[in-house]
Coordinates of all heavy atoms in Angstrom, one line a residue:
M1218 N 107.6 129.0 93.1 CA 108.3 128.4 94.2 C 109.0 127.1 93.8 O 108.5 126.4 93.0 CB 107.3 128.2 95.4 CG 108.0 128.3 96.7 SD 106.7 128.1 98.0 CE 107.2 126.5 98.7
A1219 N 110.2 126.9 94.3 CA 111.0 125.7 94.0 C 110.3 124.5 94.7 O 109.7 124.6 95.7 CB 112.4 125.8 94.5
P1220 N 110.4 123.3 94.0 CA 109.8 122.1 94.6 C 110.5 121.8 95.9 O 111.7 121.9 96.0 CB 110.0 121.1 93.5 CG 111.1 121.6 92.6 CD 111.0 123.1 92.7
T1221 N 109.8 121.3 96.8 CA 110.4 121.0 98.1 C 110.1 119.6 98.5 O 109.2 118.9 98.0 CB 109.7 121.9 99.2 OG1 110.2 121.5 100.5 CG2 108.2 121.8 99.2
L1222 N 111.0 119.0 99.3 CA 110.9 117.6 99.8 C 109.7 117.5 100.8 O 109.2 116.4 101.0 CB 112.2 117.1 100.4 CG 113.3 117.0 99.4 CD1 114.6 116.6 100.1 CD2 113.0 115.9 98.3
D1223 N 109.4 118.6 101.4 CA 108.4 118.6 102.5 C 107.0 118.6 101.8 O 106.4 119.6 101.5 CB 108.5 119.8 103.4 CG 107.6 119.7 104.5 OD1 107.1 118.6 104.9 OD2 107.3 120.8 105.1
R1224 N 106.4 117.3 101.6 CA 105.2 117.2 100.8 C 104.0 117.7 101.5 O 103.1 118.3 101.0 CB 105.0 115.7 100.4 CG 106.0 115.2 99.5 CD 106.1 116.0 98.3 NE 107.3 115.7 97.5 CZ 107.4 114.9 96.5 NH1 106.3 114.3 96.1 NH2 108.5 114.6 95.9
D1225 N 103.9 117.4 102.8 CA 102.7 117.8 103.5 C 102.8 119.2 104.2 O 101.8 119.6 104.8 CB 102.3 116.7 104.6 CG 103.5 116.4 105.5 OD1 104.5 117.1 105.5 OD2 103.4 115.4 106.2
G1226 N 103.9 119.8 103.9 CA 104.0 121.2 104.4 C 104.0 121.4 105.9 O 103.7 122.5 106.4
D1227 N 104.5 120.4 106.6 CA 104.5 120.6 108.1 C 105.9 121.1 108.6 O 106.1 121.3 109.8 CB 104.2 119.3 108.8 CG 105.2 118.2 108.5 OD1 106.1 118.4 107.6 OD2 105.1 117.1 109.1
G1228 N 106.8 121.4 107.6 CA 108.1 122.0 108.0 C 109.1 121.0 108.3 O 110.3 121.4 108.6
V1229 N 108.7 119.7 108.3 CA 109.7 118.6 108.6 C 109.8 117.7 107.4 O 108.8 117.3 106.9 CB 109.2 117.8 109.9 CG1 110.3 116.8 110.2 CG2 109.0 118.8 111.0
V1230 N 111.1 117.4 107.0 CA 111.3 116.4 105.9 C 111.5 115.1 106.6 O 112.6 114.8 107.2 CB 112.4 116.8 105.0 CG1 112.7 115.8 103.9 CG2 112.1 118.2 104.4
T1231 N 110.6 114.2 106.4 CA 110.7 112.8 107.0 C 111.4 111.9 106.1 O 111.6 112.2 104.9 CB 109.3 112.3 107.4 OG1 108.6 112.1 106.2 CG2 108.6 113.2 108.3
E1232 N 111.8 110.7 106.6 CA 112.4 109.7 105.8 C 111.5 109.3 104.6 O 112.0 109.0 103.5 CB 112.7 108.4 106.7 CG 113.8 108.6 107.7 CD 115.2 108.6 107.0 OE1 115.4 108.0 106.0 OE2 116.0 109.4 107.5
E1233 N 110.2 109.2 104.9 CA 109.2 108.7 103.9 C 109.2 109.8 102.7 O 109.1 109.4 101.6 CB 107.8 108.6 104.5 CG 107.7 107.4 105.4 CD 107.9 107.8 106.8 OE1 107.2 108.7 107.3 OE2 108.8 107.2 107.4
E1234 N 109.3 111.0 103.1 CA 109.2 112.1 102.1 C 110.5 112.0 101.2 O 110.4 112.2 100.0 CB 109.0 113.5 102.7 CG 107.6 113.7 103.2 CD 107.4 114.9 104.1 OE1 108.4 115.3 104.7 OE2 106.3 115.4 104.1
I1235 N 111.6 111.7 101.8 CA 112.9 111.6 101.1 C 112.8 110.4 100.2 O 113.2 110.4 99.0 CB 114.1 111.5 102.0 CG1 114.3 112.8 102.8 CG2 115.3 111.1 101.3 CD1 115.3 112.7 103.9
E1236 N 112.3 109.3 100.7 CA 112.1 108.0 99.9 C 111.2 108.3 98.7 O 111.5 107.8 97.6 CB 111.6 106.9 100.8 CG 111.8 105.5 100.3 CD 113.3 105.3 100.0 OE1 114.2 105.6 100.8 OE2 113.5 104.7 99.0
L1237 N 110.1 109.0 99.0 CA 109.1 109.3 97.9 C 109.8 110.1 96.8 O 109.6 109.8 95.6 CB 108.0 110.0 98.5 CG 106.8 110.3 97.6 CD1 106.1 109.0 97.3 CD2 105.8 111.2 98.2
A1238 N 110.6 111.1 97.2 CA 111.3 111.9 96.2 C 112.3 111.1 95.4 O 112.4 111.3 94.2 CB 112.0 113.1 96.9
K1239 N 113.0 110.1 96.1 CA 113.9 109.3 95.4 C 113.2 108.4 94.3 O 113.7 108.2 93.2 CB 114.6 108.4 96.4 CG 115.8 109.0 97.1 CD 116.5 108.0 98.0 CE 117.6 108.7 98.8 NZ 118.1 107.8 99.9
Q1240 N 112.1 107.8 94.8 CA 111.3 106.9 93.9 C 110.8 107.7 92.6 O 110.8 107.2 91.5 CB 110.1 106.3 94.6 CG 110.6 105.1 95.5 CD 109.5 104.6 96.3 OE1 108.3 105.0 96.2 NE2 109.8 103.7 97.2
E1241 N 110.3 108.9 92.9 CA 109.8 109.8 91.8 C 110.9 110.1 90.8 O 110.7 110.1 89.6 CB 109.2 111.0 92.3 CG 107.8 110.8 92.9 CD 107.2 112.0 93.5 OE1 107.8 113.0 93.6 OE2 106.0 111.9 94.0
A1242 N 112.1 110.4 91.3 CA 113.3 110.7 90.5 C 113.7 109.5 89.6 O 114.0 109.6 88.5 CB 114.5 111.1 91.3
L1243 N 113.6 108.3 90.2 CA 113.9 107.0 89.5 C 112.9 106.8 88.4 O 113.3 106.5 87.3 CB 113.9 105.9 90.5 CG 114.3 104.5 89.9 CD1 115.8 104.5 89.5 CD2 114.0 103.4 90.9
I1244 N 111.6 107.0 88.7 CA 110.6 106.8 87.7 C 110.8 107.8 86.6 O 110.6 107.4 85.4 CB 109.2 106.9 88.4 CG1 108.9 105.8 89.3 CG2 108.1 107.0 87.3 CD1 107.7 105.9 90.2
E1245 N 111.1 109.0 86.9 CA 111.3 110.0 85.9 C 112.5 109.6 85.0 O 112.4 109.7 83.7 CB 111.7 111.3 86.6 CG 111.1 112.6 85.9 CD 111.2 113.8 86.8 OE1 110.3 114.0 87.6 OE2 112.3 114.4 86.6
K1246 N 113.5 109.1 85.5 CA 114.7 108.6 84.8 C 114.3 107.5 83.9 O 114.7 107.5 82.7 CB 115.8 108.2 85.7 CG 117.2 108.1 85.1 CD 118.3 107.8 86.1 CE 118.5 106.3 86.2 NZ 119.6 105.9 87.1
L1247 N 113.6 106.5 84.4 CA 113.2 105.3 83.6 C 112.3 105.8 82.4 O 112.4 105.2 81.3 CB 112.5 104.3 84.5 CG 113.4 103.6 85.5 CD1 112.6 102.7 86.4 CD2 114.6 102.9 84.8
D1248 N 111.4 106.7 82.7 CA 110.5 107.2 81.7 C 111.3 107.9 80.5 O 111.1 107.7 79.4 CB 109.5 108.2 82.2 CG 108.3 107.6 82.8 OD1 108.2 106.4 82.6 OD2 107.5 108.3 83.4
A1249 N 112.3 108.7 80.9 CA 113.2 109.3 79.9 C 113.9 108.3 79.1 O 114.0 108.5 77.9 CB 114.2 110.3 80.6
Q1250 N 114.4 107.3 79.7 CA 115.1 106.2 79.0 C 114.2 105.5 78.0 O 114.6 105.2 76.9 CB 115.7 105.2 79.9 CG 116.9 105.7 80.7 CD 117.5 104.7 81.7 OE1 116.8 103.7 82.0 NE2 118.6 105.0 82.3
K1251 N 113.0 105.3 78.5 CA 112.0 104.6 77.6 C 111.7 105.5 76.4 O 111.6 105.0 75.3 CB 110.7 104.3 78.4 CG 109.7 103.4 77.7 CD 108.7 102.8 78.6 CE 107.7 103.7 79.1 NZ 106.7 103.1 80.0
Q1252 N 111.5 106.8 76.6 CA 111.2 107.7 75.5 C 112.4 107.7 74.5 O 112.1 107.7 73.3 CB 111.0 109.1 76.0 CG 109.6 109.4 76.5 CD 109.5 110.8 77.0 OE1 110.4 111.5 77.2 NE2 108.2 111.2 77.3
L1253 N 113.6 107.6 75.0 CA 114.8 107.6 74.2 C 114.8 106.4 73.3 O 115.1 106.4 72.1 CB 116.0 107.7 75.0 CG 117.3 108.0 74.3 CD1 117.3 109.4 73.7 CD2 118.5 107.9 75.2
A1254 N 114.5 105.2 74.0 CA 114.5 103.9 73.2 C 113.4 103.9 72.2 O 113.6 103.5 71.0 CB 114.3 102.8 74.2
W1255 N 112.2 104.5 72.5 CA 111.2 104.6 71.5 C 111.5 105.4 70.3 O 111.3 105.1 69.2 CB 109.9 105.1 72.2 CG 108.9 104.0 72.6 CD1 108.7 103.6 73.9 CD2 108.2 103.2 71.7 NE1 107.8 102.6 73.9 CE2 107.5 102.3 72.6 CE3 108.0 103.1 70.4 CZ2 106.6 101.3 72.1 CZ3 107.2 102.1 69.9 CH2 106.5 101.2 70.7
L1256 N 112.1 106.6 70.7 CA 112.6 107.5 69.6 C 113.6 106.8 68.7 O 113.5 106.9 67.4 CB 113.2 108.8 70.2 CG 113.6 109.9 69.2 CD1 112.3 110.5 68.6 CD2 114.4 110.9 70.0
A1257 N 114.5 106.1 69.3 CA 115.5 105.4 68.5 C 114.8 104.3 67.6 O 115.2 104.1 66.4 CB 116.6 104.7 69.4
A1258 N 113.9 103.6 68.2 CA 113.2 102.5 67.4 C 112.4 103.1 66.3 O 112.3 102.5 65.2 CB 112.3 101.7 68.4
V1259 N 111.7 104.2 66.5 CA 110.8 104.8 65.5 C 111.6 105.5 64.4 O 111.2 105.4 63.3 CB 109.8 105.8 66.2 CG1 109.1 106.6 65.1 CG2 108.8 105.0 67.1
S1260 N 112.8 106.0 64.8 CA 113.5 106.8 63.8 C 114.1 105.9 62.7 O 114.3 106.4 61.6 CB 114.7 107.5 64.5 OG 115.7 106.6 64.9
M1261 N 114.3 104.6 63.0 CA 114.9 103.7 62.0 C 113.9 103.5 60.8 O 114.3 103.8 59.6 CB 115.3 102.4 62.6 CG 116.6 102.5 63.4 SD 117.2 101.0 64.0 CE 116.2 100.8 65.5
P1262 N 112.7 103.0 61.0 CA 111.8 102.9 59.9 C 111.4 104.2 59.2 O 111.2 104.3 58.0 CB 110.5 102.3 60.5 CG 110.6 102.4 62.0 CD 112.1 102.5 62.3
V1263 N 111.3 105.3 60.0 CA 111.1 106.6 59.4 C 112.2 107.0 58.5 O 111.9 107.4 57.3 CB 110.9 107.7 60.5 CG1 110.9 109.1 59.9 CG2 109.6 107.5 61.3
Y1264 N 113.4 106.8 58.9 CA 114.6 107.1 58.1 C 114.6 106.3 56.8 O 114.9 106.7 55.7 CB 115.9 106.9 58.8 CG 117.1 107.3 58.2 CD1 117.6 108.6 58.3 CD2 117.9 106.4 57.4 CE1 118.7 109.1 57.7 CE2 119.0 106.9 56.7 CZ 119.4 108.2 56.9 OH 120.6 108.6 56.3
A1265 N 114.2 105.0 57.0 CA 114.2 104.1 55.8 C 113.1 104.4 54.8 O 113.2 104.2 53.6 CB 114.0 102.6 56.3
L1266 N 112.0 105.0 55.3 CA 110.8 105.3 54.4 C 110.9 106.7 53.9 O 110.1 107.0 52.9 CB 109.5 105.1 55.2 CG 109.2 103.6 55.6 CD1 107.9 103.6 56.4 CD2 109.0 102.8 54.3
L1267 N 111.7 107.5 54.4 CA 111.8 108.9 53.9 C 112.0 109.0 52.4 O 111.3 109.8 51.7 CB 113.0 109.7 54.6 CG 112.6 110.4 55.9 CD1 113.8 111.1 56.4 CD2 111.4 111.3 55.8
P1268 N 112.9 108.3 51.8 CA 113.1 108.4 50.3 C 111.9 107.9 49.6 O 111.7 108.3 48.4 CB 114.3 107.4 50.0 CG 115.0 107.2 51.3 CD 113.9 107.3 52.4
A1269 N 111.0 107.1 50.2 CA 109.8 106.6 49.5 C 108.7 107.7 49.4 O 107.9 107.7 48.5 CB 109.3 105.4 50.1
V1270 N 108.7 108.6 50.4 CA 107.6 109.6 50.4 C 108.1 111.0 50.0 O 107.3 111.9 49.7 CB 107.0 109.6 51.8 CG1 106.2 108.4 52.1 CG2 108.0 109.9 52.9
L1271 N 109.4 111.3 50.1 CA 109.9 112.6 49.8 C 110.6 112.6 48.5 O 111.3 111.6 48.1 CB 110.9 113.1 50.9 CG 110.3 113.4 52.3 CD1 111.4 113.8 53.2 CD2 109.2 114.4 52.2
P1272 N 110.5 113.7 47.7 CA 111.2 113.8 46.4 C 112.7 114.2 46.7 O 113.0 115.3 46.7 CB 110.5 114.9 45.7 CG 109.8 115.7 46.7 CD 109.6 114.8 47.9
I1273 N 113.5 113.2 46.9 CA 114.9 113.4 47.2 C 115.8 113.1 46.1 O 115.6 112.0 45.4 CB 115.3 112.5 48.5 CG1 114.4 112.9 49.7 CG2 116.8 112.7 48.8 CD1 114.7 112.0 50.9
G1274 N 116.7 114.0 45.8 CA 117.6 113.8 44.6 C 118.6 112.7 44.9 O 118.8 112.2 46.0
V1275 N 119.3 112.3 43.8 CA 120.2 111.1 43.9 C 121.4 111.5 44.8 O 121.9 110.7 45.6 CB 120.8 110.8 42.5 CG1 121.8 109.7 42.6 CG2 119.6 110.3 41.6
D1276 N 121.9 112.7 44.7 CA 123.0 113.2 45.6 C 122.6 113.0 47.1 O 123.4 112.4 47.8 CB 123.3 114.6 45.3 CG 124.1 114.8 44.1 OD1 124.4 113.8 43.4 OD2 124.5 116.0 43.8
K1277 N 121.4 113.4 47.4 CA 121.1 113.4 48.8 C 120.8 111.9 49.2 O 121.0 111.5 50.4 CB 119.8 114.2 49.1 CG 120.2 115.7 49.2 CD 119.0 116.6 49.5 CE 119.5 118.0 49.5 NZ 118.4 119.0 49.6
L1278 N 120.2 111.1 48.3 CA 120.0 109.7 48.6 C 121.3 109.0 48.9 O 121.4 108.2 49.8 CB 119.3 109.0 47.4 CG 117.8 109.1 47.3 CD1 117.3 108.4 46.1 CD2 117.2 108.4 48.6
N1279 N 122.4 109.3 48.1 CA 123.7 108.7 48.3 C 124.2 109.1 49.7 O 124.8 108.3 50.4 CB 124.7 109.2 47.2 CG 124.4 108.4 46.0 OD1 124.0 107.3 46.0 ND2 124.8 109.0 44.8
T1280 N 124.0 110.4 50.1 CA 124.4 110.8 51.4 C 123.7 110.1 52.5 O 124.3 109.6 53.5 CB 124.2 112.3 51.6 OG1 124.8 113.0 50.5 CG2 124.7 112.8 52.9
M1281 N 122.3 109.9 52.3 CA 121.5 109.2 53.3 C 122.0 107.8 53.4 O 122.0 107.2 54.5 CB 120.0 109.3 52.9 CG 119.4 110.6 53.2 SD 117.6 110.5 52.8 CE 117.0 109.6 54.2
A1282 N 122.3 107.1 52.2 CA 122.7 105.7 52.2 C 124.0 105.6 53.0 O 124.2 104.6 53.7 CB 122.8 105.2 50.8
A1283 N 124.9 106.6 52.8 CA 126.2 106.5 53.5 C 126.1 106.6 55.0 O 126.8 106.0 55.7 CB 127.1 107.6 52.9
M1284 N 125.1 107.4 55.4 CA 124.9 107.6 56.9 C 124.1 106.4 57.5 O 124.2 106.3 58.7 CB 124.2 108.9 57.1 CG 125.0 110.1 56.9 SD 124.2 111.6 57.5 CE 122.6 111.6 56.7
S1285 N 123.4 105.7 56.7 CA 122.4 104.8 57.3 C 123.0 103.7 58.1 O 122.5 103.3 59.1 CB 121.5 104.2 56.2 OG 122.3 103.3 55.3
D1286 N 124.2 103.2 57.7 CA 124.9 102.1 58.4 C 125.1 102.5 59.8 O 124.7 101.8 60.8 CB 126.2 101.7 57.7 CG 126.0 101.0 56.4 OD1 124.9 100.8 56.0 OD2 127.1 100.8 55.7
M1287 N 125.8 103.6 60.0 CA 126.2 104.0 61.4 C 124.9 104.4 62.2 O 124.8 104.1 63.4 CB 127.1 105.2 61.3 CG 128.5 104.8 61.0 SD 129.1 103.4 61.9 CE 129.3 104.1 63.5
L1288 N 124.0 105.0 61.5 CA 122.8 105.5 62.2 C 122.0 104.3 62.7 O 121.6 104.2 63.9 CB 121.9 106.3 61.2 CG 120.6 106.9 61.8 CD1 121.0 108.2 62.5 CD2 119.5 107.1 60.8
F1289 N 121.8 103.3 61.8 CA 121.0 102.1 62.2 C 121.7 101.3 63.3 O 121.1 100.9 64.3 CB 120.7 101.2 61.0 CG 119.5 101.6 60.3 CD1 119.4 102.9 59.8 CD2 118.5 100.7 60.0 CE1 118.3 103.3 59.1 CE2 117.4 101.1 59.3 CZ 117.3 102.4 58.8
L1290 N 123.1 101.3 63.2 CA 123.8 100.5 64.2 C 123.7 101.2 65.6 O 123.5 100.6 66.6 CB 125.3 100.5 63.8 CG 126.2 99.5 64.5 CD1 125.7 98.1 64.1 CD2 127.6 99.6 64.0
S1291 N 123.8 102.6 65.6 CA 123.7 103.3 66.9 C 122.3 103.3 67.4 O 122.1 103.1 68.7 CB 124.2 104.7 66.7 OG 123.5 105.4 65.7
Q1292 N 121.3 103.4 66.6 CA 119.9 103.4 67.1 C 119.6 102.0 67.6 O 119.0 101.9 68.7 CB 118.9 103.8 66.0 CG 119.2 105.1 65.3 CD 119.0 106.3 66.3 OE1 119.8 106.4 67.2 NE2 118.0 107.1 66.0
A1293 N 120.0 101.0 66.9 CA 119.7 99.6 67.4 C 120.4 99.3 68.7 O 119.9 98.6 69.5 CB 120.1 98.6 66.3
S1294 N 121.6 99.9 68.8 CA 122.4 99.8 70.1 C 121.6 100.4 71.3 O 121.5 99.8 72.3 CB 123.8 100.4 70.0 OG 124.5 99.9 68.9
I1295 N 121.0 101.5 71.0 CA 120.3 102.2 72.1 C 119.1 101.3 72.5 O 118.8 101.1 73.7 CB 119.8 103.6 71.6 CG1 120.9 104.5 71.5 CG2 118.7 104.2 72.6 CD1 120.6 105.9 70.8
V1296 N 118.4 100.8 71.5 CA 117.2 100.0 71.8 C 117.7 98.7 72.5 O 117.1 98.3 73.5 CB 116.4 99.6 70.4 CG1 115.3 98.6 70.7 CG2 115.9 100.9 69.8
G1297 N 118.7 98.1 72.0 CA 119.3 96.9 72.6 C 119.7 97.1 74.0 O 119.4 96.3 74.9
L1298 N 120.4 98.2 74.3 CA 120.9 98.5 75.6 C 119.7 98.7 76.6 O 119.7 98.3 77.7 CB 121.8 99.7 75.6 CG 123.2 99.4 75.2 CD1 124.0 100.8 75.0 CD2 123.9 98.5 76.1
F1299 N 118.7 99.4 76.0 CA 117.5 99.6 76.9 C 116.9 98.3 77.4 O 116.6 98.1 78.5 CB 116.5 100.5 76.1 CG 115.2 100.6 76.9 CD1 115.1 101.5 77.9 CD2 114.0 100.0 76.5 CE1 113.9 101.6 78.6 CE2 112.8 100.1 77.2 CZ 112.8 100.9 78.3
F1300 N 116.6 97.4 76.4 CA 116.0 96.1 76.8 C 117.0 95.3 77.6 O 116.5 94.5 78.5 CB 115.5 95.4 75.5 CG 114.2 96.0 75.0 CD1 114.2 96.7 73.8 CD2 113.1 95.8 75.7 CE1 113.1 97.3 73.3 CE2 111.9 96.4 75.2 CZ 111.9 97.1 74.0
G1301 N 118.3 95.4 77.3 CA 119.2 94.7 78.1 C 119.2 95.1 79.6 O 119.2 94.3 80.5
A1302 N 119.1 96.4 79.7 CA 119.1 97.0 81.1 C 117.8 96.6 81.8 O 117.8 96.3 83.0 CB 119.2 98.5 81.0
Q1303 N 116.7 96.6 81.0 CA 115.4 96.2 81.6 C 115.5 94.7 82.1 O 115.1 94.4 83.2 CB 114.3 96.3 80.6 CG 114.0 97.7 80.1 CD 113.2 98.4 81.1 OE1 112.1 97.9 81.5 NE2 113.6 99.6 81.5
A1304 N 116.1 93.8 81.3 CA 116.2 92.4 81.7 C 117.1 92.3 82.9 O 116.8 91.5 83.8 CB 116.7 91.6 80.5
Y1305 N 118.2 93.0 82.9 CA 119.2 92.9 84.0 C 118.5 93.4 85.3 O 118.7 92.8 86.3 CB 120.4 93.8 83.6 CG 121.4 93.8 84.7 CD1 122.3 92.8 85.0 CD2 121.5 95.0 85.6 CE1 123.2 92.8 86.0 CE2 122.4 95.0 86.6 CZ 123.3 93.9 86.8 OH 124.2 94.0 87.8
M1306 N 117.8 94.5 85.2 CA 117.2 95.0 86.4 C 116.0 94.2 86.9 O 115.7 94.1 88.1 CB 116.7 96.5 86.2 CG 117.8 97.5 86.3 SD 117.6 99.0 85.5 CE 116.2 99.7 86.4
A1307 N 115.4 93.5 86.0 CA 114.3 92.6 86.4 C 114.8 91.4 87.1 O 114.2 90.8 88.0 CB 113.5 92.1 85.1
K1308 N 116.0 90.9 86.7 CA 116.7 89.8 87.4 C 117.2 90.1 88.8 O 117.1 89.3 89.7 CB 117.9 89.3 86.5 CG 117.6 88.2 85.6 CD 118.9 87.7 85.0 CE 118.7 86.6 84.0 NZ 119.9 86.2 83.4
K1309 N 117.6 91.4 88.9 CA 118.3 91.8 90.2 C 117.3 91.7 91.4 O 116.1 92.0 91.3 CB 118.8 93.2 90.1 CG 120.3 93.2 90.4 CD 121.0 94.6 90.2 CE 120.2 95.8 90.4 NZ 121.0 97.0 90.4
Ligands
LIG2688 CA1 106.7 116.8 106.0

């Protein structure tokens, strides 16, 4: 069955039930953003340590090195934007 806004099953969707659904949607969105920021933050050291633990040839190392600038810049941007948004929303 599809999820419904009518939580207590009385057949009526009240203002509180709508508000509750909105808050849950917001929390879900913030959780997803937090996961994304974590993934971005963790991927940087993992990417940096990969050549140390994996037997990677020089050719592939050169390719990884060429990609690392943009990758780190974009991942750091995601992390920075996440914390920037957190600070902005805390001020509001
Ligand atoms: Ca209800």
Side-chain angles (χ1 to χ4, degrees):
M1218 209 175 113
T1221 173
L1222 292 176
D1223 185 22
R1224 297 302 167 97
D1225 52 14
D1227 62 356
V1229 183
V1230 177
T1231 61
E1232 287 290 326
E1233 290 91 59
E1234 283 169 335
I1235 291 172
E1236 199 55 43
L1237 188 68
K1239 277 184 188 170
Q1240 283 175 6
E1241 283 175 357
L1243 182 67
I1244 289 169
E1245 217 168 272
K1246 194 176 92 176
L1247 292 176
D1248 274 351
Q1250 288 176 348
K1251 189 161 73 176
Q1252 277 182 348
L1253 192 67
W1255 264 108
L1256 185 68
V1259 168
S1260 71
M1261 285 186 279
V1263 167
Y1264 188 87
L1266 291 175
L1267 273 182
V1270 291
L1271 293 179
I1273 299 174
V1275 176
D1276 280 1
K1277 284 182 179 169
L1278 272 179
N1279 282 332
T1280 307
M1281 283 183 78
M1284 288 193 304
S1285 66
D1286 289 356
M1287 284 313 290
L1288 186 83
F1289 276 53
L1290 199 63
S1291 57
Q1292 303 296 66
S1294 303
I1295 291 172
V1296 176
L1298 281 173
F1299 174 74
F1300 283 108
Q1303 295 281 307
Y1305 176 76
M1306 278 160 62
K1308 263 190 183 174
K1309 234 175 31 169

